[in-house]
Amino acid sequence: MLKKIIVSNHQMYRQMSDFVTQYNENHIPTTAFQKLLLSVGSATVSLFDPQRADMIATMGETTGTHALKYMRDKMINNPEGSEILQLQPRINTSTVDLNKLRCMPENTLGYAYFKFLNHNKVTPDSRGSVQFIDDVELAYVMQRYREVHDLFHTVLGMPTNMLGEVTVKWIEAFQTKLPMTLSGGLFGAIRLKPKQREQYVQYYLPWAIQTGLNSNFMLNIYFEKRWEQPMEELHKELNIKPLEIINLK
């Protein structure tokens, strides 16, 4: 028993040091004035070029302090969320066995996540490191948010096109309070094609608002321990009623 505890503690601190080491390597200390300049500049660039993921990330980091504290507190007050904060797990191709997920039953979270990644040709390695958040715990919350974003898409049944991204951003805005998610929902909708805009107003936006207001906090889900969970069961746990997608074109 003692040996198991020692091994468990060793694994916990190793995982923590993995994130802290990366954080120390990438962290750029900035003053309040510098953060203000970065937030204004990144917001401006993001508005004109929403494909600039680096600018969107910078805006999220420099404007999200209060929201990150809110997210951290939600996690602290939940057993599963608190465990995530303690262990600081990472989601990338080094920690997730995608081949194993591919072989899981089709109704499971693991298979759905693999299918999402494969269909949309995305990788869990695409999320950049946090740079401008000075508190290491809040930095981890932001990193975790980034790394589970594709899992949010998976659980919500939303693709990675503009309509799917805008819909997810609205739900994230209600769940996380991050300013960047609200701006993404507002300004992203402007770029929708006419037919998408019609679907957005009639179906997706009302569903996103209802889901964002009524669903349970998704950052409290330790997804890595839920790969074998049926999606239907997870939806019930999160109080999410999936939107049936008829036509995204």
Side-chain angles (χ1 to χ4, degrees):
M1 177 64 74
L2 179 59
K3 184 177 180 180
K4 288 183 178 180
I5 294 175
I6 292 173
V7 171
S8 176
N9 287 339
H10 172 73
Q11 291 173 339
M12 180 181 74
Y13 289 115
R14 179 184 60 79
Q15 287 177 310
M16 289 181 66
S17 65
D18 286 347
F19 172 74
V20 173
T21 298
Q22 185 187 62
Y23 170 79
N24 289 332
E25 291 174 351
N26 293 282
H27 178 230
I28 302 174
T30 48
T31 65
F33 181 67
Q34 288 172 324
K35 283 183 172 62
L36 176 62
L37 292 178
L38 284 169
S39 64
V40 173
S42 59
T44 302
V45 174
S46 300
L47 180 62
F48 290 100
D49 186 2
Q51 301 301 319
R52 287 290 301 273
D54 57 334
M55 292 293 98
I56 295 174
T58 298
M59 179 173 65
E61 293 179 27
T62 55
T63 63
T65 300
H66 292 296
L68 289 169
K69 290 178 180 178
Y70 165 81
M71 294 160 66
R72 178 196 59 193
D73 292 346
K74 292 277 286 186
M75 297 176 75
I76 287 175
N77 291 318
N78 177 275
E80 199 164 339
S82 180
E83 183 180 11
I84 294 170
L85 284 179
Q86 281 188 320
L87 300 182
Q88 297 183 333
R90 306 297 303 279
I91 294 181
N92 52 55
T93 52
S94 296
T95 62
V96 178
D97 187 345
L98 296 179
N99 287 324
K100 182 178 180 180
L101 300 188
R102 179 176 56 184
C103 297
M104 287 185 172
E106 293 186 5
N107 68 329
T108 61
L109 170 66
Y111 181 81
Y113 180 52
F114 168 80
K115 185 178 179 181
F116 171 86
L117 295 175
N118 188 58
H119 177 75
N120 292 286
K121 295 179 171 55
V122 294
T123 170
D125 293 332
S126 63
R127 304 300 169 184
S129 300
V130 174
Q131 294 180 297
F132 301 109
I133 298 175
D134 298 323
D135 182 288
V136 65
E137 188 174 43
L138 296 183
Y140 175 74
V141 173
M142 176 60 83
Q143 190 72 45
R144 180 68 176 179
Y145 159 73
R146 289 179 183 172
E147 293 180 4
V148 299
H149 176 74
D150 287 336
L151 278 156
F152 284 8
H153 273 269
T154 301
V155 172
L156 295 168
M158 289 291 115
T160 57
N161 62 9
M162 185 59 71
L163 181 54
E165 287 292 353
V166 170
T167 303
V168 172
K169 279 290 178 285
W170 273 114
I171 295 172
E172 290 179 339
F174 284 106
Q175 285 231 341
T176 69
K177 318 299 183 189
L178 285 166
M180 59 158 283
T181 59
L182 178 59
S183 65
L186 287 171
F187 295 109
I190 298 174
R191 297 179 176 273
L192 293 174
K193 298 176 182 178
K195 192 170 183 179
Q196 286 183 324
R197 190 175 298 115
E198 181 182 344
Q199 292 179 321
Y200 170 72
V201 172
Q202 188 172 0
Y203 301 109
Y204 289 83
L205 181 59
W207 176 79
I209 293 173
Q210 182 180 27
T211 302
L213 289 173
N214 298 325
S215 59
N216 294 318
F217 194 60
M218 287 193 285
L219 273 173
N220 281 336
I221 298 296
Y222 204 144
F223 291 102
E224 300 92 315
K225 294 186 176 183
R226 305 291 197 103
W227 296 134
E228 298 179 357
Q229 184 174 13
M231 287 288 286
E232 183 178 359
E233 181 182 301
L234 182 58
H235 285 150
K236 289 181 179 179
E237 181 179 343
L238 287 169
N239 196 31
I240 292 174
K241 183 179 180 180
L243 176 67
E244 185 178 353
I245 301 174
I246 299 174
N247 183 15
L248 287 175
K249 294 181 180 179

